[in-house]
Amino acid sequence: MGIADWLRRRSKKEENHSSPSGTEDVKRQDAEPKEAVDEHDSKLTGSEQQSPRGLFARLREGLSRTRSSFVGRVDSLLSSRRRIDEELFEELEEILIQADVGVDTTLRLVDEVRAAVKASGITDAEQVKPILRAKILDILSAYTAPLELPQESPGVIMVVGVNGAGKTTTIAKLARRFKSQGKKVILGAADTFRAAAIEQLEVWANRVGVEIVKHQPGADPAAVAYDTIQAGKARGCDVVIIDTAGRLQTKTNLMRELEKIGRVVERELGGRAPEVLLVIDATTGQNALSQAKLFSDAVKITGVVLTKLDGTAKGGIIVAIAAELGLPIKLIGIGEAYDDLRDFDPEEFVAALFDA
Ligand SMILES: Nc1nc2c(ncn2[C@@H]2O[C@H](COP(=O)(O)OP(=O)(O)O)[C@@H](O)[C@H]2O)c(=O)[nH]1
Ligand SMILES: [Mg+2]
């Protein structure tokens, strides 16, 4: 289902909105749960923003930093040049690299643009922009796949990624999305490393109004995953979402732990593969690529969630991820409100970034 359909359906069902925003909210929620939610309503989607048009405006706003620094620089480069020459391509390369498109992807992209310029015989520098736009769209469209639940319930989604990437808040946003589609959701607090991580997920579960399975801090995360799936089956849940730890400092342990969770989940699903979402913080830069490789060694990643695109001028990282990881980007995060977790739509994304 496309984002527009999803929103149309949602806007019919839902009136109240609140915003996930991490640990700060955990404290506030403890003190004054109702107010904390209401307070966030103000910075959230009113009826206007629930229309596809309002949503697009919000996407543009979320991408505004990348838009002004990356696309803005492309614009001023192209408008300051009368001729298309090698110097122009070199400057274009520099802009792309600074936007975190990555060296390999930049070189590939600029080669493609150069070839297309040659083939089309254009001479006006301004005409390079639609070519660049089209080539970026090609890369972003190469691997797309929506987040879909399997026919057979429960569908299990494991969420992995380094600390702070946005796993828990992404889970809250997803839980709310599924719930608003009339699905029964249960969360598993398998980030057992810190008590605060369990509490944070629990606050979200309560706020969104979904069930949660948790153990004591320090418990075996695979046991939490097992219990959550069991509870999900017993209670007739449609979706099981499992939060996991992401402390990279203890790399081998973490990866062994994730492998074990993955094995348990697969066994409980009778060999069906779970959806494994890797959450990547767009502000981490090229490091994101090596993180992805690391996690891929432990679990079979089925999709990427790229969060915090609103917090960076280097949103070009999305192009590097699409070009270099061979994994579909399924969701993007453009802010802290529920609606700010979006299905990734390459066409819409490129339009929000490039078009006036
Ligand atoms: N601006 C912005 N903040 C986000 C986004 N996604 C997550 N965050 C924030 O990132 C912080 C860390 O998120 P959290 O879910 O706790 O990360 P975790 O350690 O991976 O579970 C929280 O304050 C979130 O509100 C996003 O798309 N945009
Ligand atoms: Mg977390």
Side-chain angles (χ1 to χ4, degrees):
M1 181 169 38
I3 184 96
D5 291 332
W6 170 63
L7 274 143
R8 243 172 266 128
R9 258 203 235 180
R10 246 215 39 197
S11 57
K12 277 191 204 129
K13 284 189 186 166
E14 302 261 326
E15 303 290 11
N16 298 323
H17 291 270
S18 61
S19 145
S21 65
T23 45
E24 205 185 311
D25 272 336
V26 174
K27 282 183 235 126
R28 264 191 263 153
Q29 172 85 4
D30 285 339
E32 204 63 72
K34 193 69 186 76
E35 254 175 45
V37 173
D38 287 347
E39 188 183 313
H40 282 284
D41 281 346
S42 57
K43 79 171 182 188
L44 259 182
T45 53
S47 53
E48 183 206 20
Q49 287 205 320
Q50 290 183 11
S51 69
R53 204 197 162 105
L55 277 166
F56 183 72
R58 175 83 189 154
L59 177 64
R60 265 176 70 101
E61 185 195 319
L63 299 179
S64 61
R65 296 183 61 187
T66 298
R67 194 183 153 82
S68 59
S69 84
F70 165 46
V71 181
R73 286 183 66 197
V74 171
D75 281 336
S76 42
L77 167 68
L78 299 179
S79 62
S80 67
R81 297 288 170 138
R82 250 177 277 139
R83 286 190 311 126
I84 301 176
D85 53 16
E86 202 36 44
E87 207 179 308
L88 182 146
F89 289 121
E90 274 167 28
E91 284 190 37
L92 185 58
E93 267 172 21
E94 204 180 301
I95 294 171
L96 289 163
I97 287 168
Q98 281 177 10
D100 252 340
V101 172
V103 176
D104 294 349
T105 308
T106 294
L107 295 179
R108 170 186 152 188
L109 197 54
V110 174
D111 277 348
E112 288 178 8
V113 172
R114 199 187 273 112
V117 165
K118 220 173 180 179
S120 65
I122 62 163
T123 50
D124 177 6
E126 304 260 11
Q127 288 175 288
V128 173
K129 190 178 174 188
I131 294 176
L132 176 67
R133 184 194 188 280
K135 294 297 170 194
I136 287 179
L137 181 58
D138 280 350
I139 291 177
L140 293 179
S141 309
Y143 296 97
T144 49
L147 180 68
E148 265 173 329
L149 291 175
Q151 297 290 327
E152 221 176 309
S153 279
V156 176
I157 303 174
M158 234 177 108
V159 181
V160 306
V162 300
N163 267 352
K167 292 181 295 299
T168 305
T169 45
T170 292
I171 290 169
K173 292 166 181 167
L174 279 178
R176 190 166 186 277
R177 171 199 287 214
F178 288 126
K179 194 181 176 216
S180 71
Q181 293 168 350
K183 297 201 161 72
K184 194 168 174 195
V185 182
I186 189 165
L187 309 182
D191 180 355
T192 59
F193 192 64
R194 290 173 310 128
I198 302 174
E199 279 162 30
Q200 190 197 1
L201 191 71
E202 195 171 23
V203 167
W204 282 118
N206 292 337
R207 191 175 294 172
V208 174
V210 296
E211 297 184 50
I212 180 170
V213 168
K214 57 168 188 162
H215 287 189
Q216 292 302 311
D220 178 3
V224 178
Y226 175 85
D227 282 354
T228 313
I229 296 175
Q230 290 305 318
K233 287 177 180 169
R235 300 178 203 173
C237 293
D238 304 292
V239 197
V240 173
I241 312 179
I242 297 170
D243 195 9
T244 63
R247 49 186 201 294
L248 271 190
Q249 298 88 316
T250 54
K251 226 187 281 187
T252 35
N253 274 347
L254 173 67
M255 295 307 158
R256 241 182 267 136
E257 216 171 81
L258 285 177
E259 271 172 44
K260 189 172 164 196
I261 301 174
R263 275 200 307 275
V264 166
V265 169
E266 230 170 274
R267 197 183 62 212
E268 290 316 298
L269 289 177
R272 265 195 293 139
E275 176 92 62
V276 182
L277 296 178
L278 172 66
V279 180
I280 297 177
D281 174 344
T283 66
T284 32
Q286 294 297 305
N287 230 339
L289 299 176
S290 43
Q291 279 173 19
K293 280 163 196 146
L294 207 61
F295 279 93
S296 294
D297 288 341
V299 276
K300 192 179 176 309
I301 312 282
T302 57
V304 169
V305 181
L306 187 61
T307 58
K308 308 190 199 179
L309 277 164
D310 56 306
T312 182
K314 297 180 170 224
I317 187 71
I318 197 168
V319 185
I321 289 173
E324 290 173 43
L325 291 185
L327 292 170
I329 297 165
K330 294 197 169 174
L331 300 157
I332 55 169
I334 53 159
E336 296 191 83
Y338 285 118
D339 283 350
D340 293 336
L341 183 71
R342 302 289 186 86
D343 287 328
F344 177 56
D345 177 340
E347 295 267 2
E348 188 190 47
F349 186 89
V350 168
L353 206 55
F354 277 89
D355 301 348

